């Protein structure tokens, strides 16, 4: 068991940014828009922002002046995020950003003081139950909407199908739920855990599917995703490597040439305070 800090590369985040943008739920943004109060500067905290893709997607979909506070523990990713500011808001109002290098599982209530919206994307499944509960507690205390997008839900479909797909998927899901020095990761259980926690705290919670659909036009992302999927499965079950050697080569070649259609299930979650509107 080790305390894992897996670094995410700018290249990987760049590769997935367009597909992530297409997958995130616009319906939840519409619902969010109905809750936001016009006027003033909306302060948005994006937790575990990476290179800031969430802000580049969401800021132009929401009206009004916005100040984004981008949190991540990786200073290199934050430098990229600071250099790639989001486009102006939906009504042309200015959007600016500041960065904060920190561990978001150690946020205190003061860190989110004055927040009008808290967001996170592709984060929840990386947390343990204890980390998730602690983080949601702080977010709930901020009293504003919470938009949590692109959490994996353990559904992967490959077409054409192969009998070994199910075996690899099971090993991958076990890897996502592995025990670490921080505790057991939530992996595909993160969305259900977040819904439980936020509903029990009194939020209104909406969940929508936000799956990736990778075809020939996304062959680069499909191949990179497939490599990572196999590597995680084999790390979890080293004996799998021999069993799937020919499968891996065959499927990777198909992914690289756009002959493998990949669907990766995600879910987006919007939590709204029941007793009022956001700043
Ligand atoms: C899969 S990336 C997602 C990045 C970005 N939200 C996006 O959607 O493109 C996960 C990010 O979480 C950050 N991260 C993971 N655990 C963290 C923690 N405990 N504190 C701060 N950042 C964390 C990583 O550095 C990485 O940037």
């Amino acid at each position: 068991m080790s305390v894992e800090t897996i670094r995410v590369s700018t290249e990987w985040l760049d590769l997935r940014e367009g597909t992530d943008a297409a997958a995130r739920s616009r319906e939840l943004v519409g619902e969010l828009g109905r809750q936001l109060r016009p006027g003033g500067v909306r302060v948005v905290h994006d937790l575990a922002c990476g290179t800031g893709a969430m802000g580049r997607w969401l800021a132009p979909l929401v009206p009004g002046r916005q100040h984004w506070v981008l949190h991540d523990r990786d200073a290199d990713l934050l430098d990229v995020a600071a250099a790639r500011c989001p486009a102006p808001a939906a009504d042309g109002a200015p959007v600016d950003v500041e960065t904060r290098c920190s561990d978001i599982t150690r946020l205190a209530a003061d860190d989110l003081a004055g927040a009008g919206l808290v967001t996170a994307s592709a984060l929840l499944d990386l947390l343990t139950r204890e980390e998730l509960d602690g983080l949601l507690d702080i977010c709930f205390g901020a009293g504003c909407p919470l938009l949590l997008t692109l959490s994996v839900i353990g559904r992967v479909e490959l077409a054409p199908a192969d009998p070994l797909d199910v075996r690899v998927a099971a090993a991958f899901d076990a890897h996502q739920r592995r025990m670490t020095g921080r505790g057991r990761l939530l992996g595909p259980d993160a969305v259900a855990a977040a819904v439980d926690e936020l509903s029990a705290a009194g939020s209104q919670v909406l969940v929508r599917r936000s799956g990736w659909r990778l075809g020939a036009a996304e062959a680069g992302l499909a191949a990179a995703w497939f490599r990572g999927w196999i590597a995680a499965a084999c790390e979890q079950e080293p004996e799998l490597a021999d069993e799937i050697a020919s499968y891996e080569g065959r499927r990777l070649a198909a992914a690289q040439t756009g002959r493998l259609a990949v669907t990766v299930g995600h879910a987006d979650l919007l939590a709204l305070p029941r007793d009022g509107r956001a700043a």
Side-chain angles (χ1 to χ4, degrees):
M1 254 189 327
S2 64
V3 178
E4 295 182 42
T5 303
I6 297 169
R7 291 196 73 190
V8 180
S9 72
T10 302
E11 292 72 26
W12 167 245
L13 295 177
D14 284 352
L15 195 54
R16 58 180 286 174
E17 183 163 348
T19 301
D20 284 350
R24 291 192 193 95
S25 168
R26 295 281 185 126
E27 187 189 339
L28 291 185
V29 175
E31 194 56 49
L32 173 66
R34 285 186 275 284
Q35 302 290 323
L36 296 173
R37 196 183 298 145
V41 180
R42 181 164 298 118
V43 178
V44 185
H45 287 261
D46 186 31
L47 309 180
C49 66
T51 64
M54 181 70 169
R56 286 188 291 278
W57 174 72
L58 183 60
L61 298 177
V62 176
R65 188 159 180 186
Q66 299 162 45
H67 177 67
W68 281 69
V69 185
L70 306 177
H71 302 251
D72 205 286
R73 64 182 171 200
D74 188 321
D76 294 336
L77 294 179
L78 285 175
D79 284 346
V80 178
R84 297 185 189 168
C85 200
D91 56 358
V95 175
D96 58 38
V97 304
E98 71 168 272
T99 57
R100 291 190 195 167
C101 193
S102 69
D103 181 342
I104 52 94
T105 63
R106 291 167 186 254
L107 285 179
D110 281 355
D111 293 317
L112 299 184
L117 171 65
V118 177
T119 64
S121 182
L123 171 69
L124 300 194
D125 38 79
L126 306 176
L127 302 177
T128 66
R129 179 75 201 227
E130 195 180 8
E131 289 171 341
L132 179 77
D133 288 355
L135 183 62
L136 294 180
D137 208 31
I138 296 289
C139 294
F140 181 80
C144 64
L146 184 55
L147 181 63
L148 305 170
T149 68
L150 295 176
S151 304
V152 298
I153 53 171
R155 287 204 195 104
V156 167
E157 282 169 29
L158 304 180
D162 184 293
L164 278 172
D165 294 343
V166 175
R167 173 111 167 77
V168 177
F172 176 82
D173 285 348
H175 184 266
Q176 291 244 298
R177 295 187 176 103
R178 69 194 176 279
M179 183 57 86
T180 71
R182 293 155 36 220
R184 186 170 293 287
L185 303 185
L186 282 163
D189 307 319
V191 174
V195 170
D196 284 354
E197 185 69 13
L198 289 163
S199 303
S203 293
Q204 179 193 356
V205 183
L206 306 172
V207 178
R208 296 291 180 272
R209 294 277 175 89
S210 55
W212 280 356
R213 290 177 194 285
L214 310 179
E218 298 83 17
L221 179 57
W225 170 85
F226 183 80
R227 278 198 202 90
W229 191 59
I230 292 284
C234 290
E235 189 179 306
Q236 185 67 23
E237 288 186 33
E239 65 280 9
L240 195 58
D242 285 343
E243 208 181 310
I244 64 166
S246 100
Y247 164 91
E248 180 181 358
R250 203 169 5 99
R251 300 296 258 172
L252 183 56
Q256 284 166 329
T257 51
R259 289 178 291 112
L260 187 68
V262 180
T263 305
V264 182
H266 296 113
D268 291 2
L269 179 161
L270 175 66
L272 300 167
R274 286 196 187 272
D275 56 352
R277 290 154 73 88

